[in-house]
């Protein structure tokens, strides 16, 4: 484990700053393992939010530091990544040329993921300055910006590497605090991307006030104060792996597709369309 980070949305800034309306992301990053991080454990035990991103980092080569831990924040928008942009150093300069000046200046670390986040924000805002990061955009615009970011990365790899390009694992996820886009993507004809699941039921199993136990069906939650008949509110959880024992609670996002969640909590799976000539024919790391 090479770092952890959480971003959660809070109304605090809107309550005190005239120019801010609505929730904004608070951010905490650490290089400590979660179980050993006193501050992280306290935050988890005493923070309530309607939207939260959490990430445990395994570096793909960049420096282990707090600034390189996910998630990455751009105004009201949060972005994180599980996977790797192959041959990143080869295309890094050209990626930065596609970014706005403000997006480039907001890249504080050296990871491929943060560069992808800055490129996404450039696409989402149509080249806008940092003040446009405070705006909400339609869910379709968020999906389009994400798909464009993926295609730009593939096109740069094709330009520089041709048939020597390697496949990418681009499990990107972004939110503005009300809507979400998460993609599961790998540009290879047969290989699968890393897993990415979603659930609209697991929140009940994970909530310690309900009788279910996330670890096994025969375990009893002695702390439960609600009955099996009690209901829980609408929610969506996205995770690299199921976090409860019951596989029936989870859906695997299809290969090279996006999960979109609108402001009403409606989930929809959408394919990412791209030129399959941008697929990598050979994985040099296989």
């Amino acid at each position: 484990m090479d770092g952890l980070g959480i971003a959660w949305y809070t109304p605090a800034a809107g309550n005190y700053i005239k120019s801010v309306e609505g929730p904004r992301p608070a951010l905490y990053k650490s290089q400590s393992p979660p179980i050993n991080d006193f501050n992280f454990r306290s935050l988890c035990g005493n923070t309530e939010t309607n939207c939260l991103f959490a990430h445990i980092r395994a570096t793909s080569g960049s420096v282990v530091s707090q600034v390189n831990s996910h998630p990455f924040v751009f105004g009201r928008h949060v972005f994180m990544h599980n996977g790797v942009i192959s041959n990143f150093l080869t295309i890094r300069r050209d990626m930065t040329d596609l970014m706005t000046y403000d997006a480039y200046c907001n890249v504080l670390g050296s990871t491929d993921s943060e560069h992808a986040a800055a490129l996404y924000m450039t696409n989402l805002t149509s080249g806008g300055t940092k003040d446009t990061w405070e705006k909400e955009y339609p869910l379709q615009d968020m999906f389009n910006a994400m798909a464009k970011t993926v295609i730009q990365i593939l096109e740069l790899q094709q330009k520089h590497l041709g048939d020597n390009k390697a496949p990418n694992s681009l499990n990107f996820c972004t939110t503005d605090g009300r809507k979400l886009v998460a993609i599961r993507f790998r540009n290879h004809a047969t290989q699968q991307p890393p897993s990415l699941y979603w659930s609209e039921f697991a929140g009940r199993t994970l909530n310690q006030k309900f009788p279910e136990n996330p670890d096994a069906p025969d375990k009893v939650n002695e702390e439960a104060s609600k009955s099996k008949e009690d209901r829980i509110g609408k929610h969506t959880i996205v995770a690299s792996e199921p976090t409860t024992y019951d596989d029936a609670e989870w859906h695997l996002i299809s290969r090279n597709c996006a999960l979109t969640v609108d402001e009403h909590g409606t989930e929809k799976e959408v394919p990412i369309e791209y030129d399959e000539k941008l697929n990598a024919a050979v994985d040099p790391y296989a």
Side-chain angles (χ1 to χ4, degrees):
M1 196 215 80
D2 299 311
L4 69 87
I6 52 172
W8 68 99
Y9 282 78
T10 166
N15 291 336
Y16 294 95
I17 301 174
K18 182 178 180 181
S19 60
V20 176
E21 293 185 6
R24 291 295 187 275
L27 183 65
Y28 177 79
K29 297 185 179 186
S30 173
Q31 292 173 233
S32 300
I35 197 169
N36 296 334
D37 189 319
F38 175 83
N39 294 321
F40 177 73
R41 291 165 64 92
S42 179
L43 285 171
C44 289
N46 297 281
T47 301
E48 184 178 35
T49 180
N50 288 329
C51 182
L52 179 144
F53 270 24
H55 188 280
I56 294 179
R57 181 177 183 238
T59 179
S60 56
S62 53
V63 175
V64 176
S65 66
Q66 286 185 352
V67 74
N68 277 341
S69 293
H70 309 219
F72 306 105
V73 172
F74 291 73
R76 73 182 304 143
H77 301 268
V78 177
F79 186 103
M80 62 185 182
H81 173 208
N82 178 34
V84 63
I85 297 176
S86 299
N87 306 110
F88 170 60
L89 294 180
T90 302
I91 67 169
R92 179 178 180 177
R93 178 65 179 268
D94 281 6
M95 281 184 70
T96 60
D97 288 342
L98 295 174
M99 301 171 193
T100 62
Y101 176 77
D102 284 347
Y104 172 76
C105 290
N106 202 64
V107 177
L108 305 178
S110 57
T111 64
D112 54 348
S113 307
E114 191 172 17
H115 284 73
L119 188 55
Y120 165 77
M121 287 305 302
T122 297
N123 293 330
L124 179 64
T125 62
S126 298
T129 53
K130 66 187 303 182
D131 60 295
T132 62
W133 304 347
E134 301 300 333
K135 299 179 181 179
E136 285 190 54
Y137 295 86
L139 184 60
Q140 186 64 49
D141 289 2
M142 294 171 65
F143 169 78
N144 290 344
M146 186 71 84
K148 183 177 180 179
T149 300
V150 169
I151 292 169
Q152 286 172 319
I153 291 169
L154 303 187
E155 288 176 340
L156 289 178
Q157 291 169 334
Q158 179 65 34
K159 171 187 171 183
H160 285 278
L161 299 161
D163 293 340
N164 293 320
K165 61 185 179 295
N168 305 272
S169 293
L170 305 180
N171 284 14
F172 292 152
C173 193
T174 188
T175 184
D176 61 4
R178 284 164 42 85
K179 304 179 292 295
L180 177 143
V181 176
I183 71 169
R184 179 173 176 254
F185 185 91
R186 187 167 177 83
N187 61 314
H188 192 278
T190 59
Q191 293 177 357
Q192 289 289 327
S195 61
L196 191 62
Y197 292 84
W198 68 275
S199 177
E200 56 185 340
F201 305 112
R204 177 190 171 98
T205 308
L206 292 164
N207 190 319
Q208 295 182 22
K209 286 197 171 184
F210 287 84
E212 292 86 352
N213 188 296
D215 295 327
D218 56 346
K219 287 191 174 183
V220 179
N221 178 11
E222 303 289 352
E223 303 298 323
S225 59
K226 295 184 179 294
S227 70
K228 291 185 177 181
E229 288 71 35
D230 286 322
R231 299 172 65 90
I232 195 170
K234 173 69 176 170
H235 64 278
T236 305
I237 300 174
V238 179
S240 295
E241 301 290 345
T243 55
T244 66
Y245 74 88
D246 188 357
D247 291 340
E249 292 182 333
W250 295 90
H251 313 276
L252 178 65
I253 298 175
S254 300
R255 176 177 174 270
N256 295 353
C257 286
L259 174 74
T260 64
V261 185
D262 67 16
E263 57 269 43
H264 306 294
T266 303
E267 301 98 347
K268 182 180 180 182
E269 193 170 289
V270 185
I272 298 171
E273 297 181 359
Y274 71 105
D275 187 346
E276 293 190 0
K277 292 179 181 178
L278 296 173
N279 278 342
V282 179
D283 186 353
Y285 306 107

